[in-house]
Amino acid sequence: MTIHAVIADDEPLLLDYLVDLLTQVWPELDIVGTAPNGRRALALIEQQRPEVVFLDIHMPGMTGLDVARRIPAGTLIVFVTAYDQYAVEAFERAAIDYLLKPVNRDRLAVTAARVKDKLARRDVIDIEALKAALSTLQPQAPKHLHWLKIGKSDSVQLVAAQDVLYFQADHKYTSAFTATEEHLIRTPLKELESQLDPERFWRIHRGTIVNVDAIAEAKRDFRGRYVLALKHRRETLSVSQSYGALFKQM
C-alpha cells in the first residue's frame, strides 16, 4: 500500500530539508503536498486525505497544534518541535510521534519505522489522549538558535548549531567552525551569543565561543591560562583570564 504524506513548516529551508531527509530514509513515501502555514496544511489534508502528516508546531496564525485538533480521525501525526523536555513527555504519554529540531536523519528513520508499523497494524490516534496532551501545551518560539543559514553564492546552506565546534569573531563577520569546514556568517559574535544555548556554548574569549561538547581537554599553559584541545580539529583555543573560572572545576 502506498503511504501518502503532507508536510507543513513555515520556514521554506527547513521544509525542503525535511522533504529531502524523508526521501532518503523513506523513498517509497508519496509526499502529496507541502504547506507553509497551518491553514494551507489543513486544506491539503482535507483534499488529499494522507495517512500521515508532519506538522511544525510553531507556525504563525494556525499553529500545528490547531491543525492537529481539526484533522480527520485516523490520520497519524508527527509533530516537529523545538519544545523542551516537558512537552516531549506530554507527547510520549499520549504515544504521539514527534521529531525534535534540528531533525536528525537517524531519528527520522526511527520515526518512519514507527509510522509504518502503526499503519500496518492499523493503529489510530487516541483522540482523547491527543486532546489531553495538546491542552497542556501552548505554541512558543524556540528558545535558542538551532540552525545557521550560510550564504553560498546563489544558494543557502543549513548548518545545525550543534555541529559547530566553535565561533570566532572575524572583523565584521563571524567564522563558524565545524569538524570539516569553516563558514562565514554576517551575525556579530555578541548578537550570536544571545541566541545560542548558554548550557552548550561558552564564551571563552572576547572573540571566541566554544561548543562545550567539542572540548577534549583543558590544560594550563606556562602563564597559568587554559588552552583547549578540541575533539575534531587540530587547532587549540586560548581561554582569556577572565573566563578561566569556567574550567577550574573540570
Side-chain angles (χ1 to χ4, degrees), residues 10 14 18 36 47 50 53 71 115 133 151 153 158 199 207 233:
D10 67 319
L14 298 185
L18 181 54
Q47 177 186 4
V53 296
I71 66 173
V115 171
S153 62
L158 287 177
E199 296 295 322
R233 294 189 68 96

Side-chain angles (χ1 to χ4, degrees), residues 4 36 44 47 77 126-127 141 156 158 207 225:
H4 308 87
L44 269 174
Q47 177 186 4
I77 301 171
D126 183 334
I127 297 299
V156 176
L158 287 177
R225 296 183 180 179

Side-chain angles (χ1 to χ4, degrees), residues 7 14 19 40-41 44 47 49 64 71 77 96 98 100 107 132 143 156 179 187 194 202 209 211 216 224:
I7 306 173
L14 298 185
V19 169
R40 179 60 182 151
L44 269 174
Q47 177 186 4
R49 296 284 171 166
I71 66 173
I77 301 171
I96 301 167
Y98 65 90
L100 290 177
R107 179 63 177 82
K143 293 180 180 179
V156 176
T187 308
S194 67
W202 292 359
I209 294 174
N211 185 335

Side-chain angles (χ1 to χ4, degrees), residues 102-145:
V103 177
N104 175 276
R105 187 182 189 278
D106 293 338
R107 179 63 177 82
L108 181 59
V110 171
T111 294
R114 287 177 179 172
V115 171
K116 284 186 275 190
D117 181 62
K118 286 184 178 183
L119 290 171
R121 292 186 285 109
R122 297 188 178 182
D123 284 357
V124 295
I125 292 176
D126 183 334
I127 297 299
E128 294 307 314
L130 174 60
K131 288 180 178 178
L134 297 184
S135 68
T136 66
L137 305 175
Q138 292 297 325
Q140 61 185 47
K143 293 180 180 179
H144 304 298
L145 181 68

